[in-house]
C-alpha cells in the first residue's frame, strides 16, 4: 500500500514538474523574445496556469480529493464555486502578506499580484485539491499530528518548501549586484518555484525514507 | 529575592562587553600621526645653488589676502545660469561671481572645490589650513575642537610677520588660540540663529579692510550653513541669505587694492535637506572663487583647467602666492593656472613659474613623506619606494633642465603633477590605520562576553541557587550545556544569525530599516505557525478522535484557547499593521537613490503650507494624547491608579502635565518667526521655559517612581482589620511553633485571594456593588512589578519624544502599540503552550520574544527617523529648551544621544515586562476558565507568583537580561567583525565604521537602560517586601 501510494505521488509530481518545464519551454519556442527574466510576468502566468491545470486534472483523476459529503450536482457546483472564491481570496491574502513584507504598495501592484497568483497556484491550489475548500482542514493539516494520509504529509512538505523558497527569494533584492533576476518579483517567484520543485522531489523521498515512522489514523 | 547577585552578574557581563568594544574601537579608529615639524624660510626648497635659501625674503606676488569663507557654499549656489527663468531659492543668487568671471577672465575664476570627507566644519578648517587629510576619528571632536598642533597656514603667516585678522565662526578661535593679530569670534553652535555671526562680521569687515592694520583677513560666514540646517536649501530664507552674500562679495571686491588676493570659498556643500558630514558629492563639492584687481591668471581659460580643485590644494597655492613656506605636512599641489608658464622678467613682482612652483611643492611633499615614513610604518613599503624613486628621477631631470638653462620639457610639469597626485592618493588610502592586535583582542573579548551571556542565560537557575547542593549544579550545567548546543538551531536564533549576517553586507546595512522589519515580521509570523504546528492554536475539541492522547493534556478550556488565539492573531495583526505604518517614518541614506525621507521628519517650523502644518500638529497632539490615554487606561485596568503613592501621583498628574507642556512647546516652536513680532519676547521665553519645565517634570516623575514605586491600594476599612488582631480565621495562628516564613506562606495566599477579588471588583466596579462582595483589600497588587516599569517607560517615552521632531509622535504611538502587541503575543503564546507555572518552565522567557524585542528596538531606531550615519544625527535635539546654545559640551551631547538612541533606551528599560506580562495576562485567562470549569482560587495571583518563588524570579530575571544582552551583544560583535573583515572595503568609512559606532553606542545605551530597568524591578521588590512586613510585622522575609 505504501509503495503504491508513494509511486503514485512520485509520478504525480513528475507530471507537475514536467508541466512547469513545458510551461517554460513552450512559450520560449512559440513567443519571440520570451525569457524568464525579460518577460517575467508572461512566464509567471504560463507556469501558474500550467500548474493549476495539471494539478487539478491529476488530482481529480487520481481521486485524492477529499470525499464529498453529498453527491448532488448543486453541492458539487457550490463546492466548485467556493473553491474559486477561496482561490481568489488566497491571491488577495498573499498579495497583502507580500506587501506587508515590504513590496511596493502601488508602483508594481501587477507584479506583486502575479506573484500572489503564482504562490496561490503552488500552495493553496494544492490544499484545495487535497482537502477541499475548508479552511479548518487546512489549518489542521499544518500541525504535527494533523496529517491523515501520505498526501497530507506531502502537502505539508511542498507548501512549506514553496513558502520558504519565496521567503528566501527576497534576500538578494537589496544587494547591489544589478542582476536581472534581482528585479522585483523575479527572485521571489524563482525562489518559490525552486522551493516548489524541491518540495515535489523531496516529499516522496522523505516519505519513502520515513515510512516506518509515519502512522496515520483513518480519515 | 537575591537582587545583588543578579545585578552584579549583569554588571560584570556589561563591563566585559564595554572592554571588548573599547579595545576594538581603539584598534579600529586610529588617528593619523601628526608630524609636529614646521617648515621654515630657511628650508632649501629652491634648486641648490641657484639662490641661497630663504625665499621669504623674495618679493611675494601678493602682499595681502582676504579669505571669505561662506560655510556650506555649494558649487550649485555659486553657478549662474542666465537661461534659468524660474530659479529655485538657491539658484542664481550670486550673480557677482559669474559677472566677474565673464567680464574679467584674467582676474577671476570659479572652480568646484572638493572637500575630503568628513565634511564637518572643524575638519574642513583643519584640512584647508594644514593641507593634510582628515581622519575619521576627528568627527567626534566637533563638539570640543582643540587647537591644531600641526604646521598650518596661520602659523606660517605668523612666522613671517603677517598680521592675521579673523572674524566669524568661533571654531577658528579654538583651533588657533592666540594666533591671530586680532580676532572677533561669534558663537557658532546655535544652528537656528541665522544672523548673529554674519551681522557681527559685517559690522567690522569693511572698516577693517579700509584700515591698514592687517595682511591676511579671514572672515567665516555661517548664515548659509545655518539656513540649510534650519530650512533646507530650497527655502526663501536661503535666497535672502545668498543675496546678502552677493552684496558682501561685491562690497569686498570694490574695496580691494591691487596687491590683494580675494578668495571666496565654501568649506563644504550640503545635501538636499541641508545637512552635511558625509561624502556624497553634494556634500563635498563646494565653490572656490579667486579674484584680484591685478591680473591673476596669466593665461585665458583653456583646456588644461582643472575640473575640480581638491581642498588641500589651497594651502600650497596660497602659501606660494603670499610668499610663505608651504606647511610641513601639506599634501596638496599648487593650482597651476595661477602661475605663469615661464618665469617673468625679474622686475615683474617676483612670481614663480609653474615648474618652479611644482618643484617647490614636490620637494616639500617628498620631505614630508620621508619624515612621516620614518615615524610610522603605515604607508605600504612598495608604494613608498615607488614614490621615492619617482621623485629622485624627477629631481635629477629638473636639476639638469635648470642647469642646462634651456626650457624644461612640458612633460616634466605633467609628471610632477602626477607625482603629487599619487602621493595624495597613497596618503588617503593608508590613513585609515588599524592595529590588528587590539582589534583581535577586542573581538575575542566580545565573543567571550557573548558566550558568557549565553551560558548565563542557560545556567541562570543554577547560578542563583549557588549555595544549593553541590551535586545538582554540575548536573544541571551539563544538561543545559547539552541543550545549549541544540538550542542554537531554533528559528529565533536563526533569525538573529541572519540579522548578524546582514550586518556584513553594505547593501543590507544601507537597507537596514527594511531588512529588520522583514526579519521581525518573519519571526512574528513564526509564532502562530509554530503554535499551530504543535496543535496548540486551535482548541482540540472539534476532532474528538485525536484529542485523546496525542496532545499534551489541555491546560486550557476550548473557549479559553479560542480567546487566547484570537488575542494572539489580533495582536499579530496590530503588530504587522504598525510595522507597516512605521515604514513611513524612515529617513533616507544618501546611498538610497530614489528614496524620499519621511515628511514627518522635518520640524513643523519648516512647513510652509499652513493647513498641512495644522494637520500635522493635530495628528501629533492626538497621538500624544493616545499614548497617555493608553498608558493610564492600562494602569487603571489593573487597579494601579488608586493609591496615593508617588508613582500613582506621577501617573495621574505628572504624565498629563508633561504632555501639556509638550503640546504647548510644539505650538510655540512651530510659529513662524516673524508672524507675531510683538510677542517675540514671550515666544522666546516659552521656547526656553516649556521644555525645561518638561525636563523638570520628567525628573520629578522618575524620582517619584524610584522613591515610592508601589501602586498598591489598601482600603483603609479593611486594612485596619488586616493589621489588627481580629484577622479572619487565622489558621496559621493556631500552630505557634511554625516559622514566620511558613506563616507568610499561609498569609500571602489570603491576600492574593482578596486582591484577585478586588480585581474582579475593579472591573465590575459601580456604586455599591463592592459591598455585596467579600471584603476587598489590595488593588493593583497583581501588577505591582510591571506598573512602575510601565509608568517609567511611559514617562521616558514622552520625555524622549520632546527631543524629536513633532511628527515623530505618531511613530512613538506606533511604538507603544507594537510593544503592547509584542507583549500580548508573548503572553498569549505562553498561555497557549501552557508552559507557565509548571515547575519545569519556571518563569523563563523563551528566545523568540527576546529576539523580537531586540529587533523591534532596531526597527524603531529607523522608524524614529534615525539612520546609522553621522549626517542623520538630529542635532536640533541639543537645542530643545536651550535655543541659545550651550556653554559646556556634556549636556548637548547627552541630549543628542538620548534622541538618537531613544528606541534602544525604551525597549531596554521595558525589557523586564516580557517576564511580567504572561503573569499579568493570566488573570484574564483564569477568569474565563473559571467561568467554564469552576473557581480555582490560586490561579489569579498574577505577579505574586514571582514573590512566591523568589529564586525562580531572580533566575528568570537574570536569564531574560542575559538573553537580551546576548542578542544585542552579538549584533555589536557582528558589526565589529564586519568592520574588521572589510576594513579595506570601499564602503568602510561610509557604511561599516558608522554602523559599528552606532551599534556600539546603541549597545551602551541599551545595557545601561536594561540595568536601570532591572534595578527598578529590584527596588520594587524591596518595597513590596517592606509592604508585606508592614502587613505582618513579625514575619521577616
Amino acid at each position: 500500500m505504501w509503495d503504491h501510494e508513494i509511486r503514485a505521488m512520485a509520478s504525480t509530481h513528475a507530471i507537475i514538474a514536467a508541466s512547469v518545464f513545458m510551461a517554460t519551454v513552450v512559450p520560449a519556442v512559440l513567443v519571440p523574445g520570451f525569457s524568464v527574466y525579460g518577460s517575467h510576468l508572461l512566464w509567471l502566468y504560463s507556469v501558474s496556469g500550467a500548474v493549476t491545470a495539471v494539478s487539478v486534472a491529476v488530482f481529480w483523476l487520481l481521486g485524492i480529493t477529499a470525499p464529498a459529503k453529498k453527491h448532488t450536482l448543486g453541492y458539487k457546483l457550490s463546492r466548485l464555486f467556493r473553491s474559486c472564491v477561496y482561490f481568489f481570496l488566497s491571491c488577495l491574502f498573499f498579495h497583502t502578506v507580500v506587501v506587508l513584507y515590504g513590496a511596493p504598495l502601488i508602483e508594481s501592484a501587477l507584479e506583486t499580484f502575479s506573484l500572489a497568483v503564482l504562490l496561490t497556484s503552488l500552495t493553496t491550489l494544492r490544499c484545495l485539491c487535497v482537502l477541499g475548500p475548508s479552511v479548518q482542514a487546512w489549518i489542521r493539516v499544518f500541525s504535527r499530528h494533523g496529517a491523515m494520509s501520505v498526501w497530507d504529509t506531502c502537502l505539508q512538505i511542498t507548501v512549506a518548501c514553496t513558502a520558504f523558497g519565496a521567503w528566501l527569494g527576497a534576500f538578494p533584492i537589496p544587494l547591489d549586484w544589478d542582476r536581472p533576476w534581482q528585479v522585483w518579483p523575479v527572485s521571489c517567484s524563482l525562489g518559490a518555484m525552486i522551493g516548489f520543485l524541491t518540495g515535489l522531489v523531496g516529499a516522496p523521498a522523505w516519505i519513502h525514507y520515513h515510512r516506518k515512522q509515519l502512522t496515520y489514523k483513518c480519515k | 529575592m537575591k537582587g545583588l547577585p543578579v545585578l552584579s552578574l549583569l554588571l560584570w557581563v556589561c563591563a566585559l562587553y564595554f572592554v571588548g568594544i573599547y579595545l576594538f574601537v581603539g584598534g579600529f579608529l586610529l588617528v593619523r600621526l601628526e608630524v609636529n615639524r614646521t617648515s621654515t624660510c630657511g628650508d632649501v626648497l629652491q634648486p641648490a645653488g641657484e639662490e641661497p635659501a630663504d625665499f621669504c625674503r623674495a618679493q611675494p606676488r601678493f602682499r595681502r589676502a582676504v579669505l571669505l569663507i561662506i560655510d556650506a557654499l555649494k558649487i550649485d549656489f555659486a553657478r549662474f545660469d542666465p537661461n534659468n527663468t524660474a530659479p529655485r531659492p538657491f539658484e542664481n543668487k550670486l550673480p557677482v561671481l559669474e559677472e566677474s568671471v565673464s567680464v574679467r577672465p584674467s582676474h577671476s575664476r570659479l572652480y568646484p572645490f572638493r572637500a575630503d570627507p568628513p565634511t564637518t566644519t572643524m575638519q574642513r578648517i583643519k584640512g584647508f589650513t594644514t593641507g593634510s587629510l582628515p581622519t575619521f576619528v576627528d568627527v567626534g571632536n566637533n563638539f570640543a575642537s582643540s587647537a591644531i598642533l600641526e604646521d598650518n597656514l596661520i602659523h606660517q603667516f605668523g612666522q613671517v610677520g603677517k598680521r592675521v585678522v579673523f572674524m566669524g565662526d568661533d571654531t577658528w578661535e579654538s583651533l588657533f588660540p592666540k594666533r591671530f593679530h586680532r580676532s572677533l569670534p561669534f558663537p557658532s553652535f546655535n544652528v537656528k540663529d541665522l544672523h548673529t555671526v554674519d551681522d557681527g562680521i559685517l559690522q567690522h569687515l569693511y572698516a577693517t579692510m579700509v584700515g591698514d592694520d592687517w595682511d591676511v583677513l579671514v572672515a567665516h560666514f555661517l548664515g548659509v550653513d545655518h539656513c540649510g540646517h534650519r530650512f533646507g536649501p530650497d527655502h526663501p530664507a536661503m535666497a535672502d541669505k545668498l543675496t546678502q552674500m552677493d552684496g558682501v562679495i561685491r562690497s569686498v571686491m570694490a574695496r580691494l587694492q591691487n596687491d590683494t588676493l580675494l578668495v571666496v570659498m565654501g568649506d563644504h556643500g550640503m545635501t538636499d535637506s541641508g545637512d552635511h558630514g558625509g561624502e556624497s558629492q553634494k556634500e563635498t563639492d563646494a565653490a572656490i572663487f579667486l579674484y584680484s584687481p591685478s591680473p591673476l591668471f596669466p593665461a585665458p581659460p583653456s583646456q588644461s583647467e582643472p575640473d575640480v580643485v581638491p581642498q588641500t590644494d589651497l594651502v600650497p597655492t596660497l602659501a606660494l602666492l603670499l610668499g610663505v613656506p608651504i606647511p610641513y605636512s601639506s599634501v596638496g599641489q599648487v593650482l597651476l593656472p595661477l602661475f605663469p608658464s615661464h618665469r617673468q622678467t625679474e622686475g615683474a613682482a617676483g612670481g614663480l613659474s609653474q615648474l618652479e612652483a611644482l618643484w617647490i611643492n614636490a620637494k616639500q611633499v617628498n620631505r614630508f613623506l620621508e619624515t612621516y615614513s620614518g615615524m610610522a610604518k603605515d604607508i605600504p613599503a612598495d608604494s613608498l619606494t615607488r614614490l621615492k624613486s619617482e621623485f629622485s628621477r624627477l629631481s635629477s631631470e629638473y636639476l639638469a633642465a635648470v642647469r642646462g638653462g634651456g626650457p624644461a620639457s612640458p612633460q616634466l610639469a605633467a609628471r610632477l603633477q602626477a607625482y603629487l597626485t599619487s602621493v595624495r592618493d597613497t596618503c588617503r588610502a593608508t590613513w585609515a590605520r588599524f592595529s590588528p592586535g587590539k582589534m583581535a583582542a577586542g573581538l575575542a573579548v566580545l565573543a567571550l562576553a557573548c558566550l558568557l551571556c549565553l551560558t548565563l542565560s542557560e545556567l541562570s537557575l543554577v547560578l542563583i541557587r549557588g549555595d544549593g547542593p553541590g551535586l545538582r549544579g554540575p548536573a544541571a550545567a551539563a544538561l543545559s550545556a547539552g541543550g545549549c548546543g541544540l538550542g542554537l538551531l531554533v528559528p529565533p536564533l536563526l533569525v538573529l544569525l541572519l540579522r548578524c549576517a546582514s550586518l556584513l553586507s553594505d547593501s543590507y546595512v544601507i537597507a537596514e530599516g527594511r531588512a529588520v522589519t522583514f526579519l521581525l515580521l518573519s519571526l512574528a509570523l513564526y509564532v502562530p505557525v509554530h503554535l499551530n504546528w504543535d496543535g496548540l492554536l486551535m482548541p482540540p475539541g472539534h476532532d474528538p478522535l485525536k484529542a485523546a492522547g496525542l496532545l499534551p493534556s489541555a491546560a486550557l478550556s476550548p473557549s479559553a484557547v479560542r480567546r487566547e488565539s484570537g488575542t494572539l492573531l489580533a495582536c499579530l495583526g496590530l503588530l504587522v499593521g504598525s510595522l507597516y505604518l512605521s515604514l513611513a517614518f524612515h529617513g533616507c541614506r544618501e546611498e538610497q537613490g530614489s528614496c524620499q525621507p519621511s515628511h514627518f521628519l522635518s520640524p513643523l517650523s519648516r512647513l510652509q503650507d499652513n493647513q498641512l502644518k495644522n494637520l500635522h500638529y493635530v495628528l501629533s497632539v492626538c497621538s500624544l494624547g493616545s499614548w497617555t490615554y493608553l498608558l493610564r487606561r492600562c494602569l487603571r485596568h489593573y487597579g494601579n491608579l488608586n493609591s496615593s503613592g508617588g508613582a500613582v501621583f506621577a501617573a495621574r498628574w505628572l504624565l498629563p502635565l508633561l504632555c501639556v507642556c509638550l503640546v504647548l512647546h510644539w505650538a510655540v516652536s512651530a510659529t513662524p518667526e516673524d508672524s507675531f513680532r510683538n510677542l517675540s519676547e514671550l515666544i522666546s521665553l516659552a521656547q526656553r521655559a516649556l521644555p525645561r519645565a518638561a525636563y523638570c517634570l520628567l525628573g520629578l516623575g522618575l524620582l517619584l517612581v524610584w522613591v515610592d514605586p508601589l501602586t498598591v491600594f489598601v482600603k483603609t476599612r479593611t486594612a485596619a482589620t488586616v493589621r489588627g488582631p481580629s484577622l479572619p480565621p487565622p489558621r496559621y495562628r493556631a500552630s505557634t511553633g511554625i516559622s514566620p516564613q511558613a506563616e507568610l506562606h499561609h498569609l500571602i495566599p489570603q491576600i492574593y485571594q482578596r486582591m484577585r477579588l478586588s480585581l474582579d471588583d475593579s472591573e465590575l466596579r459601580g456604586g455599591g456593588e463592592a459591598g455585596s462582595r467579600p471584603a476587598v483589600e489590595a488593588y493593583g497588587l497583581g501588577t505591582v512589578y510591571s506598573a512602575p516599569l510601565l509608568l517609567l517607560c511611559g514617562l521616558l517615552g514622552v520625555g524622549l519624544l520632546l527631543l524629536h521632531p513633532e511628527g515623530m509622535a505618531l511613530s512613538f504611538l506606533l511604538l507603544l502599540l507594537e510593544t503592547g502587541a509584542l507583549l500580548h503575543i508573548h503572553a498569549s503564546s505562553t498561555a497557549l503552550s501552557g508552559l507557565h507555572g509548571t515547575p519545569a518552565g519556571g518563569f523563563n522567557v523563551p528566545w523568540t520574544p527576546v529576539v523580537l524585542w531586540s529587533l523591534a528596538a532596531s526597527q524603531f531606531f529607523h522608524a524614529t527617523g534615525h539612520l546609522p550615519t553621522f549626517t542623520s544625527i538630529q542635532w536640533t535635539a541639543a537645542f530643545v529648551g536651550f535655543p541659545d546654545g550651550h556653554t559646556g559640551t556634556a549636556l548637548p551631547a547627552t541630549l543628542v544621544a538620548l534622541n538618537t538612541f531613544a528606541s534602544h533606551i525604551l525597549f531596554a528599560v521595558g525589557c523586564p515586562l516580557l517576564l511580567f506580562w504572561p503573569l499579568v495576562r493570566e488573570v484574564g485567562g483564569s477568569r474565563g476558565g473559571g467561568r467554564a470549569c469552576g473557581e480555582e482560587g490560586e490561579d489569579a495571583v498574577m505577579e505574586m507568583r514571582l514573590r512566591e518563588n523568589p529564586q525562580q524570579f531572580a533566575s528568570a530575571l537574570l536569564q531574560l537580561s542575559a538573553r537580551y544582552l546576548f542578542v544585542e551583544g552579538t549584533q555589536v560583535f557582528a558589526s565589529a567583525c564586519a568592520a574588521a573583515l572589510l576594513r579595506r572595503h570601499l564602503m568602510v568609512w561610509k557604511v561599516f565604521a558608522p554602523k559599528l559606532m552606532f551599534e556600539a553606542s546603541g549597545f551602551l545605551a541599551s545595557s545601561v537602560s536594561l540595568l536601570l530597568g532591572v534595578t527598578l524591578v529590584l527596588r520594587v521588590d524591596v518595597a513590596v517586601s517592606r509592604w508585606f512586613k508592614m502587613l505582618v510585622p513579625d514575619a521577616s522575609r
Side-chain angles (χ1 to χ4, degrees), chain A residues 100-102 139 143-144 167 171, chain B residues 508 514 522 532-534 576:
Chain A
L100 286 176
Y101 259 112
I139 292 174
S143 64
R144 185 172 289 151
W167 183 72
F171 280 57
Chain B
Y508 287 115
R514 295 193 145 236
S522 303
N532 188 46
W533 178 250
D534 287 339
V576 168

Side-chain angles (χ1 to χ4, degrees), chain B residues 419-454:
Chain B
Y419 166 75
L420 288 169
T421 312
S422 65
V423 170
R424 186 171 185 278
D425 291 345
T426 311
C427 290
R428 180 183 273 178
T430 30
W431 277 337
R433 223 162 53 93
F434 307 105
S435 120
K438 268 177 134 181
M439 277 160 69
L443 282 180
V445 172
L446 278 177
L448 185 71
C450 287
L451 268 181
L452 189 67
C453 262
L454 196 63

Side-chain angles (χ1 to χ4, degrees), chain B residues 177-217:
Chain B
K178 302 197 182 98
R179 290 291 177 84
F180 299 116
H181 176 64
R182 206 144 61 82
S183 166
L184 297 162
F186 299 98
S188 64
F189 193 68
N190 187 1
V191 186
K192 287 193 171 169
D193 178 0
L194 306 189
H195 300 297
T196 306
V197 177
D198 294 4
D199 292 349
I201 296 173
L202 291 181
Q203 268 180 11
H204 303 282
L205 179 63
Y206 304 134
T208 312
M209 276 191 73
V210 171
D212 205 27
D213 190 23
W214 60 279
D215 293 304
V216 176
L217 176 61

Side-chain angles (χ1 to χ4, degrees), chain B residues 65 67 153-167 172 176 179-184 208 213-219:
Chain B
L67 251 79
L153 272 181
I154 307 295
H155 173 77
Q156 290 297 343
F157 289 146
Q159 289 299 106
V160 299
K162 286 189 186 291
R163 291 157 296 174
V164 184
V165 175
F166 166 75
M167 49 187 77
W172 284 77
F176 304 102
R179 290 291 177 84
F180 299 116
H181 176 64
R182 206 144 61 82
S183 166
L184 297 162
T208 312
D213 190 23
W214 60 279
D215 293 304
V216 176
L217 176 61
V218 179

Side-chain angles (χ1 to χ4, degrees), chain B residues 13-22 446 449-450 453 965-966 969-970 1003:
Chain B
V13 173
C14 285
L16 200 58
Y17 271 117
F18 295 162
V19 168
I21 291 173
Y22 177 78
L446 278 177
C450 287
C453 262
L965 282 179
F966 173 75
T970 37
F1003 178 81

Side-chain angles (χ1 to χ4, degrees), chain B residues 592-614:
Chain B
Q592 292 171 307
S594 59
C595 167
Q596 279 291 321
S598 162
H599 293 292
F600 296 99
L601 272 173
S602 55
L604 279 184
S605 52
R606 267 200 203 184
L607 285 179
Q608 287 172 47
D609 181 358
N610 261 336
Q611 213 163 1
L612 197 66
K613 198 186 252 187
N614 289 342

Side-chain angles (χ1 to χ4, degrees), chain B residues 769-790:
Chain B
E769 179 136 24
S772 67
R773 295 192 149 252
V776 171
E777 274 150 5
Y779 284 87
L781 190 59
T783 50
V784 67
Y785 290 106
S786 53
L789 206 57
L790 207 60

